[in-house]
Amino acid sequence: MMGKTDGGENNEGGPASEDHLDGQQAVFSALLEDSAEDLYEHAPCGYLSTLVDGRIAKINTTLLDWLGYGRDELVGRRTFSELLTVGGRLDHENHVAPLLRMQGGINGIALELKAADGSRLPVLVTSTVRTGSDGQPLLIRSTVLDARDRRAYETELLRAREESDRERERLKRLNETLQKTLLPPALANVPGLDVAAYYHIASSDEVGGDFYDLFPLAAGTWGFFLGDVCGKGAGAAALTSLARYTLRAAAVYDPDPAAVLTNLNTVLNHEYNGHDPRFCTVIFGLLAPEADEADEAGFRVTLASGGHPPALFMRADGRADYLPTPGGQLIGILPDAHITTTTIRLGPGDTLLLHTDGLTEAHSAQAGSRYGDEALLEFAGDLAPTTARDAVAAIRDLLDTFGAGVDDDTAVLALNVPRSTREEQK
Amino acid sequence: MTHELTVRSRTGPAGPVIALAGELDHHTAPQVRALLPGLALRPGQQLVVDLARLTLCDSSGITVLIAARNLALAADATVVLTAVPDRVSRIIRTVGLEQVFHTHPTAQAAEAAWTPPSDSAPLLPPGR
């Protein structure tokens, strides 16, 4: 039973399969016409044979159609080089022809052909040199591929790249502009006080969050501040803007430095709380002209700190100290942030320097180490006594020596009471 | 410069423990902030943030610690920092948060110091 069944299947299956194959071959033959000539003439690429002197000996219909020429206009009359654009001809003479001579072939060289109607056709040409039995070149056979799509693709790539370059440049300019709007165009002129400031941008890709200002308040007093907003980018810029305007407004409302920072804290705490908290650290100061017992001009400076690195006090006698404001808490996070204040007299020759931690957190020359508070204090000690302009210039030079080691923005603001002419004469 | 941060979390006897290793900065902070809401934190529990292997913490990193504290407060839980590196501890002091964050030398010490809320002690004021 089993044997019979198997045999029956074989007998039935064999003739059916052969019929099927015969049928397929017939269909293929009809489709292909089996003509090498037809394949040559109507191939999906151009074929071209040229003599050693460049004259066209044979060309297929596909390429003739692309170029819009009749066969008798080209064969025996024109050289391949004459079909090229001026640029293509130079390329051909300088690169293609020598390669053909040296290597006996070229592979996928991009050239531009000029059609009968003057239009240009980007192509990729592959050629081989056919040699005779004596080894002498007889003719050059070339295939010519239509590269219009490829050229369009390359053009598109190039365009996209240019677009991306432009966008990057635009973003950079936008960031720089935004950064500038976050800083005062000019600091107020305070009679009897020299002021200098500097803002170091660590990266033009993202807006940093350092800020400072100096502005007049009522009755011959001035307010100033310098701070640092956490984070970078648009979110930080928005917070910086809010902090600046709130500080200016709060100082008009109640110029007591602790009150100013408390008000700022309340505003920021309402705005930013919960899952994505944001804060800033800031020193706010109030300047009031004050002559001392010896009738020496100067200012009483009241400083309040909300979690900010302490200000540097570089005295006329050459000493330098941090002005500690311990326990002052960052602004914007805690509903009842603790603010600490300190008061100093800024006399002739004294300089007060406020900075953000981009300076002390900079990577210094030794790998893995940060510049640090101690190094800055030492630097200030060497600098004192100094002036606002000299102090800021020195910090600027210091930042330059760190180079790429400064990975956060840095702001510095220096206030100095110039030595009186009377003192200089001493 | 690479900004690598690895976050490991586990559940200890006192509550969730998250260990941060690497750099906690502007680039890596969102990664931790995104993870925080997923922590199961019950009233009376203690969230431990282990900083033993933290190599960098900038101002954005501080916001993450604050977000962790906000999360704990919202859940009637507490938060402690453990093995705080010197540099991070200096930043915390500068911004005046040393009174806000309790710290322990190790995550184990933090868990040992935790007092479980007893079931008999009512969360509501006595006398009710």
Side-chain angles (χ1 to χ4, degrees), chain A residues 88 121 130 223 237 292 338 352 374:
Chain A
L121 175 71
R130 190 185 166 217
D292 68 0
H338 188 247
L352 184 67
E374 295 77 14

Side-chain angles (χ1 to χ4, degrees), chain A residues 4-172:
Chain A
K4 197 184 168 193
T5 309
D6 287 345
E9 275 173 8
N10 284 340
N11 290 341
E12 284 161 20
S17 301
E18 276 168 32
D19 283 352
H20 181 61
L21 281 178
D22 286 350
Q24 269 194 345
Q25 271 168 7
V27 172
F28 283 158
S29 300
L31 282 174
L32 291 171
E33 294 174 26
D34 271 342
S35 158
E37 188 60 24
D38 185 60
L39 179 61
Y40 176 84
E41 287 300 338
H42 299 105
C45 63
Y47 284 126
L48 179 78
S49 302
T50 55
L51 301 179
V52 178
D53 65 6
R55 264 183 304 151
I56 296 169
K58 202 174 175 192
I59 182 165
N60 75 344
T61 308
T62 304
L63 187 52
L64 285 170
D65 288 350
W66 285 351
L67 294 173
Y69 283 114
R71 193 176 306 273
D72 49 1
E73 288 179 88
L74 299 183
V75 172
R77 291 168 178 266
R78 306 282 287 273
T79 63
F80 176 61
S81 166
E82 285 169 340
L83 293 181
L84 297 169
T85 58
V86 177
R89 208 172 295 167
L90 283 171
D91 273 354
H92 186 262
E93 298 305 323
N94 292 332
H95 305 294
V96 180
L99 274 175
L100 278 172
R101 279 196 298 274
M102 285 189 308
Q103 303 179 354
I106 54 161
N107 195 355
I109 301 284
L111 290 171
E112 211 167 40
L113 298 181
K114 205 162 73 182
D117 65 1
S119 64
R120 286 148 184 260
L121 175 71
V123 292
L124 294 174
V125 178
T126 296
S127 305
T128 52
V129 177
R130 190 185 166 217
T131 52
S133 51
D134 57 354
Q136 286 302 305
L138 290 177
L139 48 83
I140 299 156
R141 288 168 168 162
S142 303
T143 56
V144 180
L145 297 174
D146 182 350
R148 274 177 296 199
D149 285 352
R150 185 187 153 127
R151 182 63 59 86
Y153 172 66
E154 285 170 354
T155 308
E156 180 58 26
L157 270 186
L158 196 65
R159 202 194 57 75
R161 192 213 162 112
E162 283 165 358
E163 175 82 14
S164 142
D165 285 350
R166 272 199 302 276
E167 285 300 313
R168 192 176 307 128
E169 188 56 35
R170 209 172 66 86
L171 179 65
K172 201 174 150 185

